[in-house]
Amino acid sequence: GQSLEQPSEVTAVEGAIVQINCTYQTSGFYGLSWYQQHDGGAPTFLSYNALDGLEETGRFSSFLSRSDSYGYLLLQELQMKDSASYFCAVRDLYNFNKFYFGSGTKLNVKP
Amino acid sequence: GAVVSQHPSRVICKSGTSVKIECRSLDFQATTMFWYRQFPKQSLMLMATSNEGSKATYEQGVEKDKFLINHASLTLSTLTVTSAHPEDSSFYICSAGTGTEAFFGQGTRLTVV
């Protein structure tokens, strides 16, 4: 089976840096993705790690440690529009298009 | 980038009726598509894998007779919620991928009254 754990909620101020952690237990792991979802909207892709290390995409970075079954999403220079839910998702080893999602982290950005 | 279109975006139906939701890959062919369900303030739960030309594969705990999935072509999968009840009210989202990335439809907000 698949199990992914994330903090339920995080609050930070504009301009700050925030890190959202994700730990996972899975029977078939290919990679870890991160998605952003605003209320009422569909998930949008942010970042993906298949190998250990840090991937940087603009203000967002994602890290993976396969040996620790752990990853995180780092958001820098927070903006009000970053207030949303963030999900880590394990990419299935046997079907690259299949994802199992974490519980989600609600990020509240305050002025 | 690749686009997945889902229709309708919102639907309200009476208890006991059936509702069909369509998921289309607009600019690529998808041999598999995926259906997720999301209750308010909760995560996306994978319901089933839709396989073109064959039976869908359902995740544990998902009733296959309740949630009928048909994947008749390489660009279309449909999810039919049969004999809907208020507890089926949820946000249903489909996805399809190209092998390197998955793309999500806009989602369907189903309300059963």
Side-chain angles (χ1 to χ4, degrees):
Chain A
Q2 319 284 348
S3 173
L4 295 90
E5 296 284 336
Q6 301 177 234
S8 59
E9 193 164 354
V10 173
T11 300
V13 297
E14 263 187 304
I17 300 172
V18 71
Q19 178 174 313
I20 299 174
N21 298 321
C22 173
T23 57
Y24 59 87
Q25 290 183 322
T26 176
S27 55
F29 177 87
Y30 189 80
L32 190 70
S33 289
W34 288 90
Y35 287 84
Q36 178 192 62
Q37 186 182 32
H38 286 97
D39 285 345
T44 56
F45 173 79
L46 291 178
S47 190
Y48 174 65
N49 297 73
L51 302 175
D52 286 357
L54 191 68
E55 290 284 340
E56 297 181 72
T57 310
R59 293 188 298 115
F60 298 164
S61 302
S62 60
F63 172 83
L64 176 65
S65 169
R66 296 174 70 107
S67 59
D68 295 323
S69 297
Y70 164 76
Y72 66 72
L73 178 70
L74 191 72
L75 299 87
Q76 303 182 72
E77 300 173 19
L78 281 176
Q79 302 175 8
M80 295 298 290
K81 67 179 182 179
D82 297 330
S83 291
S85 291
Y86 292 83
F87 295 90
C88 59
V90 163
R91 187 171 216 165
D92 189 74
L93 176 63
Y94 307 105
N95 190 322
F96 296 163
N97 295 316
K98 181 190 286 189
F99 290 86
Y100 293 94
F101 284 80
S103 48
T105 299
K106 175 72 173 172
L107 172 63
N108 302 301
V109 180
K110 297 188 179 299
Chain B
V3 178
V4 172
S5 177
Q6 193 172 335
H7 178 80
S9 58
R10 289 181 180 274
V11 58
I12 300 173
C13 71
K14 290 185 177 180
S15 188
T17 61
S18 296
V19 174
K20 180 184 286 188
I21 303 169
E22 294 187 346
C23 180
R24 295 181 185 272
S25 56
L26 297 185
D27 54 0
F28 66 101
Q29 294 182 330
T31 54
T32 54
M33 292 186 178
F34 303 89
W35 288 96
Y36 296 84
R37 178 170 59 183
Q38 185 177 34
F39 291 109
K41 301 189 185 302
Q42 294 189 26
S43 186
L44 289 85
M45 299 300 297
L46 179 65
M47 298 175 67
T49 301
S50 174
N51 302 300
E52 187 270 334
S54 65
K55 291 182 179 180
T57 308
Y58 291 82
E59 296 296 306
Q60 191 173 9
V62 178
E63 301 173 60
K64 61 180 181 181
D65 295 329
K66 173 77 170 176
F67 300 99
L68 300 180
I69 291 172
N70 183 270
H71 195 149
S73 77
L74 287 170
T75 60
L76 174 64
S77 173
T78 60
L79 169 69
T80 301
V81 183
T82 63
S83 187
H85 291 286
E87 57 265 31
D88 297 323
S89 298
S90 187
F91 193 49
Y92 293 86
I93 309 175
C94 69
S95 77
T98 60
T100 55
E101 189 170 337
F103 301 92
F104 288 84
Q106 307 94 313
T108 298
R109 177 80 56 192
L110 170 63
T111 303
V112 185
V113 298

